[in-house]
Amino acid sequence: MTQFIWPTTPVQLRCDKKWFETDDTISLQLISQNQESFDFKPGQFISVGIEIEGKMEYRAYSISSMPNQDFLQLTIKRVEGGKVSNHLIDQLSEGDEVAVLAPTGPFNSIDCKPRKKVAFLSAGCGITPVMSMAKTWIAQDIEIDITFIHMAKNKEQTIFFEELELLHATHANFHLKLLLKDNADTNYPQGRLDQAWLYTLCPDINNRTVYLCGPNVFMQDMKAYVENLGLDMAHFFQESFTPIGAEVIETAGNTDVVKFEVPAFGVSKEIDKGATLADVLEESGVPIIIACRSGMCGSCKCKVEKGEVSRTSTETLSEEEIAQGYTLACSSQVQSNVEVSLI
């Protein structure tokens, strides 16, 4: 099987299969025209674009399948007010095509190196990237002891419930520790995943590499718990779709209104100082892809030819690119008169 070569621009992939995992969560499989295999680092995400009301909308979704298969599987949960997620759940049909950007993301099983023992902590749709990691290690017969801790409302709302049970039953190194708010019709414990439960479910967590993904409040709590339990945080990794840190690369001027220009698209206007570069580009009709909107995927990379911006993320940029003036539009605030070009 030949391997799919990712271009630097969006590519069209076809939805080959789509099904419900729970009543509010779907999985879908995307394939290429020639059904090549897809390579990526388990735990990474892709940005999916679809036209809604005449506008291309992009969002980032973790890959829940394994590398080197002839499909990419995404598992998407309904979100209140979620324009793209809910459209994919309600409107996307098998046979439809979507635009896709190449896999990316620093949260993965290659760059976040494991010890001989690992613990996955997940809740809700946060199960998707860690499921890809766990399945890949098992399929590759890598000798890693896996404690898989997942929090869910009940059996019916547990994504991949049957698959998790099968992994637990068939692989001696996979230990499922499911905690449910309502454990009716199961043999799993009932409760909320607090520090006491975390220690009960994984008493040797300090000897493991910990991978965390889930809702923001859940991740904040889990990080605090593992720190309190004494984990060496060099062995702690978490997924994040929010900017980390803040880096001001130039000093700002004193005016409240600055000039904004994109000569290649005939844009020249006054804007408020401090405006987010991505918002200004979109409002000006400049065709830029803005997928994760949190400085993680790199889809909105552009170049500041003149002027100054502040940054809250440089996640996908090299030091050389930063020195050349490249920035992530979704995580950049305009601080002076600026001129911008697209790549």
Side-chain angles (χ1 to χ4, degrees):
M1 185 186 303
T2 58
Q3 189 172 101
F4 183 80
I5 304 300
W6 286 99
T8 56
T9 55
V11 63
Q12 294 291 314
L13 298 181
R14 180 166 60 87
C15 176
D16 185 51
K17 296 179 181 178
K18 175 185 175 182
W19 66 93
F20 277 87
E21 298 283 357
T22 70
D23 62 1
D24 65 351
T25 303
I26 63 162
S27 282
L28 54 88
Q29 291 184 355
L30 302 177
I31 62 172
S32 67
Q33 183 177 359
N34 299 315
Q35 290 191 277
E36 298 112 320
S37 65
F38 294 95
D39 189 28
F40 58 92
K41 298 174 182 179
Q44 288 189 313
F45 60 87
I46 58 172
S47 295
V48 176
I50 193 162
E51 185 172 328
I52 301 175
E53 298 176 354
K55 180 183 177 183
M56 283 298 294
E57 300 279 358
Y58 281 83
R59 296 295 185 273
Y61 299 106
S62 295
I63 304 169
S64 54
S65 52
M66 296 183 290
N68 302 315
Q69 296 179 291
D70 63 357
F71 62 86
L72 288 173
Q73 180 173 310
L74 305 179
T75 301
I76 301 167
K77 184 178 177 66
R78 186 179 298 279
V79 179
E80 184 176 354
K83 181 181 290 187
V84 177
S85 297
N86 295 346
H87 185 92
L88 293 172
I89 292 173
D90 296 330
Q91 304 296 329
L92 186 74
S93 300
E94 293 179 355
D96 290 348
E97 291 189 342
V98 295
V100 177
L101 292 169
T104 189
F107 180 75
N108 62 75
S109 61
I110 306 299
D111 298 322
C112 305
K113 297 187 182 300
R115 292 193 272 190
K116 291 295 185 181
K117 293 183 176 183
V118 304
F120 291 120
L121 309 181
S122 62
C125 211
I127 196 172
T128 54
V130 294
M131 191 65 164
S132 176
M133 293 183 191
K135 291 192 299 185
T136 301
W137 280 331
I138 289 173
Q140 294 175 345
D141 201 26
I142 296 176
E143 294 183 2
I144 294 179
D145 185 83
I146 301 169
T147 292
F148 199 102
I149 302 172
H150 183 68
M151 179 78 203
K153 291 180 180 179
N154 51 45
K155 173 184 175 181
E156 290 73 26
Q157 291 295 313
T158 302
I159 301 171
F160 308 134
F161 180 80
E162 293 182 355
E163 190 173 3
L164 287 167
E165 288 204 314
L166 181 61
L167 288 171
H168 178 79
T170 56
H171 298 279
N173 63 327
F174 184 90
H175 314 286
L176 177 60
K177 305 290 183 177
L178 188 60
L179 183 64
L180 303 174
K181 293 180 180 178
D182 177 1
N183 66 349
D185 300 321
T186 78
N187 294 318
Y188 296 104
Q190 179 171 299
R192 179 184 174 277
L193 190 53
D194 55 17
Q195 186 170 313
W197 263 116
L198 183 58
Y199 181 77
T200 298
L201 297 173
C202 190
D204 65 344
I205 195 166
N206 288 349
N207 297 322
R208 295 176 179 268
T209 301
V210 174
Y211 299 88
L212 170 66
C213 189
N216 284 335
V217 173
F218 172 81
M219 291 200 294
Q220 292 169 7
D221 289 343
M222 294 304 112
K223 183 179 180 181
Y225 298 157
V226 297
E227 283 182 306
N228 292 341
L229 291 171
L231 177 72
D232 177 354
M233 299 305 283
H235 300 287
F236 172 85
F237 304 98
Q238 72 177 66
E239 178 62 290
S240 175
F241 289 107
T242 56
I244 300 173
E247 178 190 359
V248 179
I249 61 169
E250 298 278 358
T251 58
N254 296 317
T255 58
D256 294 326
V257 176
V258 297
K259 189 174 182 181
F260 176 77
E261 296 181 284
V262 190
F265 294 91
V267 175
S268 180
K269 60 196 291 189
E270 289 187 339
I271 64 170
D272 291 334
K273 175 187 166 186
T276 299
L277 185 54
D279 293 340
V280 181
L281 288 166
E282 283 191 318
E283 292 165 3
S284 303
V286 177
I288 187 169
I289 295 171
I290 305 168
C292 72
R293 294 183 179 269
S294 58
M296 297 296 294
C297 73
S299 66
C300 61
K301 183 169 73 171
C302 57
K303 187 175 184 180
V304 179
E305 301 287 356
K306 299 177 183 178
E308 305 159 359
V309 298
S310 61
R311 295 169 175 163
T312 54
S313 175
T314 58
E315 188 69 42
T316 61
L317 299 176
S318 66
E319 292 184 6
E320 182 179 1
E321 287 176 321
I322 294 171
Q324 292 173 350
Y326 287 98
T327 195
L328 302 177
C330 71
S331 306
S332 298
Q333 292 71 46
V334 178
Q335 301 294 353
S336 73
N337 296 337
V338 295
E339 179 183 314
V340 177
S341 64
L342 301 190
I343 301 168

